[in-house]
Amino acid sequence: MKEIWVYIETFNKKVKKVSLELLTKANELSQKLGAKVVAVYIDKHDLDDTISKYGADKIIHLYSKDLQIYNSQIYTDALYNLIKDNRPHILLIGATSIGRDLAPRLAAKLNTGLTADCTQLDLDEDGLLLQTRPAFGGNIMATIICPEHIPQMATVRPGIFEAKKLEKIPEIEKIEFELEKDCITKTLEIMEKNSLLKYITESNVIVAGGRGLSKKEGFDLLRDLAKELNGTIAASRAAVEAGWAPQEIQVGQTGKTVKPKIYIACGISGAIQHIAGMKDSKCIIAINKDKNAPIFKIADYAIIGDVYEIVPKLIEKLRTLKQ
Ligand SMILES: Cc1cc2nc3c(=O)[nH]c(=O)nc-3n(C[C@H](O)[C@H](O)[C@H](O)COP(=O)(O)OP(=O)(O)OC[C@H]3O[C@@H](n4cnc5c(N)ncnc54)[C@H](O)[C@@H]3O)c2cc1C
């Protein structure tokens, strides 16, 4: 039986959300392909309980008692040995910093193709994985196939698919492996980014700023609002290009895809490329002084007015409510 493998990324005894999103997608593809879904992870801790809630038919847990944190060479070699013996049909990996390090190393060792940063996955009538991603600076969407080699490998950005719980009782395989003694690289420490940047794809509340803020300091105001709502900040490409916000927090076709419970767009016009990254937010609140701004067409709540008048009022109101 064909197998779709999902590499489950773990950190600090937790499973990355993107891995669970990929498990859900793998389940959808497996029904079309008649394949088995296999979740594979490397960790010295046992995280089977979390993973099994998202519908794996089998979990392979690679562990070593001496294993501390992610190491490119050790993880690549451990997965390579497993994959070359099992020959899965498809291998999906989250396009996180670690996924982007691991996937190309694995693809090169396995002599197969890899499509990075996919935004859509499907199957053709022959069961080939259709891997779609923006190309040429986001001006076209390219669908890429890998007909000659397996596994067909793709990385997918966090937030593209939804993680849905699906109870299955998976077969569980535990494999202990020895750490390589001649490993030439050593990971000294993994440092988490500034917490406001970290959670953009996992945050329930996002306050995003655009060119309408007209200055970098506008983001300080948005940060205050985000803090009151226990959320994080994001930006349009125009704000990033103006140097007011880092690229990591850009939302849109060439940035991150987000689906928070609340997305507050401040001084963002609602260009199609921006909307592509936030349209699936549960509740969209737009603040814009132009009543004809396209963002209002997809907004659940439209606030027509100046960001610098509205946002301080919202902050004040939230602070009063908390007293
Ligand atoms: C290939 C390609 C990929 C792209 N990828 C992305 C992407 O990933 N993400 C992205 O965001 N864009 C992307 N873009 C750019 C996109 O087309 C828009 O140019 C960009 O989203 C505009 O950003 P903005 O809404 O902040 O600025 P603008 O379009 O300039 O809008 C500013 C808005 O602020 C309002 N405003 C002004 N002052 C105030 C005020 N004081 N109070 C309230 N409202 C105010 C204005 O009425 C206006 O609606 C891409 C473009 C291309 C061609």
Side-chain angles (χ1 to χ4, degrees), residues 92-108:
L92 306 178
I93 299 180
T96 59
S97 306
I98 284 180
R100 284 165 201 231
D101 179 75
L102 181 64
R105 291 169 195 275
L106 259 180

Side-chain angles (χ1 to χ4, degrees), residues 142-187:
T143 297
I144 296 158
I145 53 168
C146 176
E148 309 281 333
H149 298 269
I150 58 163
Q152 301 163 79
M153 284 183 64
T155 63
V156 179
R157 295 182 198 179
I160 300 278
F161 304 122
E162 203 177 329
K164 291 185 194 151
K165 287 199 172 160
L166 176 63
E167 292 285 352
K168 280 188 189 171
I169 300 170
E171 177 194 339
I172 293 178
E173 189 177 348
K174 302 269 168 195
I175 304 173
E176 185 168 10
F177 69 101
E178 289 288 316
L179 291 193
E180 294 164 47
K181 299 218 166 32
D182 59 347
C183 183
I184 56 166
T185 61
K186 194 170 172 193
T187 310

